[in-house]
Amino acid sequence: MPLFKLHFGALFFGIIILPSCTTTPDHPTAPASPEVQGADQEKRAKADGSDYALLVAALAFLVAFGNALETARRDRRARAQEAWREYLRFCFDYPIYALPQNYPSFVDYESKKVCGSVAKFEKYEWFVWYLVNCALSMKRNYPFWSPELKAVKTQLSFHNGYWQACSPNILAQFPRSLESSLDAASKEAVRRAKERTTEAKSVRKPNLTETNPMPEGENA
């Protein structure tokens, strides 16, 4: 769609705007001699030729620029699709990580363990944040009504329990553009985590140079 608009705009500019701006208005003048009329026609033909040559060059530039943009967009979308396919392969290999709500006895958010292992829970966290990275890439390359983004929202919803139990320092890194894909409780958890992180950053650290480390009466 953007490329079509760009080409249509170039065509409109070339056919309607540029000729109307470059055409010399006709004014009633006294009849000129045939020699003068011939010279004027030759000058006008040369001017029209240069105008249309400029028009063709401008159109070629716009089309080439539009094609470059379209190629870059397709390349970004192809990389996003490849990352998403890789995530789906991970889901096939690690079903507990992909659908933790189907395995409540295996995933313990309170003790941060998967199948009784802290290491596996840490691996699950890497799995979830890889999903976030893929979802962010998909959101940048697909319109909001696309089925691809609906699939992204569904996958993010499978980890609502994690968002609500996640450490605030980690959860504060959740992209703002993806918050609309979470349920109400997870959105609230993200909001609290970001507020807590902001408050922690705003706390002024003590300046050690303003304090006297030596008790009174012991200064040298």
Side-chain angles (χ1 to χ4, degrees):
M1 182 63 72
L3 184 60
F4 171 77
K5 290 182 179 178
L6 180 63
H7 290 178
F8 180 78
L11 185 63
F12 178 80
F13 175 80
I15 296 178
I16 306 298
I17 305 298
L18 188 58
S20 65
C21 295
T22 57
T23 303
T24 304
D26 295 330
H27 298 287
T29 57
S33 63
E35 293 79 5
V36 174
Q37 291 180 356
D40 289 344
Q41 290 177 357
E42 184 177 356
K43 290 180 180 178
R44 191 172 302 168
K46 290 182 179 179
D48 291 343
S50 61
D51 289 343
Y52 282 103
L54 179 62
L55 167 63
V56 171
L59 288 175
F61 171 78
L62 290 175
V63 171
F65 182 71
N67 288 336
L69 291 179
E70 180 68 11
T71 300
R73 185 189 67 82
R74 290 180 179 179
D75 184 61
R76 290 193 303 270
R77 179 169 288 190
R79 291 198 300 269
Q81 289 175 340
E82 178 58 31
W84 187 252
R85 285 193 293 267
E86 183 70 16
Y87 166 75
L88 295 180
R89 284 193 288 267
F90 287 154
C91 292
F92 180 80
D93 293 335
Y94 303 98
I96 296 179
Y97 295 165
L99 286 169
Q101 70 269 29
N102 288 357
Y103 306 92
S105 59
F106 295 149
V107 182
D108 188 348
Y109 294 112
E110 296 298 328
S111 61
K112 297 187 182 302
K113 292 181 180 180
V114 172
C115 298
S117 171
V118 175
K120 288 184 178 180
F121 187 87
E122 184 175 347
K123 190 174 183 179
Y124 165 68
E125 289 191 288
W126 283 109
F127 176 92
V128 171
W129 286 98
Y130 181 76
L131 164 62
V132 171
N133 183 69
C134 292
L136 193 60
S137 181
M138 295 288 286
K139 189 173 181 64
R140 289 171 177 168
N141 291 282
Y142 286 91
F144 67 90
W145 64 82
S146 64
E148 288 82 3
L149 285 193
K150 291 181 180 178
V152 167
K153 184 174 182 179
T154 301
Q155 290 294 323
L156 288 171
S157 68
F158 292 158
H159 305 280
N160 287 329
Y162 172 75
W163 308 127
Q164 297 168 34
C166 183
S167 170
N169 293 334
I170 298 177
L171 191 59
Q173 303 173 34
F174 193 88
R176 189 174 300 276
S177 60
L178 295 177
E179 291 181 11
S180 59
S181 302
L182 304 178
D183 64 358
S186 299
K187 287 181 184 177
E188 180 64 19
V190 171
R191 185 190 65 80
R192 289 197 307 267
K194 292 186 175 182
E195 286 182 353
R196 187 178 305 178
T197 304
T198 302
E199 291 174 358
K201 290 181 179 179
S202 63
V203 174
R204 182 175 180 270
K205 295 182 179 180
N207 189 348
L208 299 180
T209 61
E210 297 178 357
T211 60
N212 186 359
M214 299 293 292
E216 292 186 7
E218 295 186 11
N219 290 334

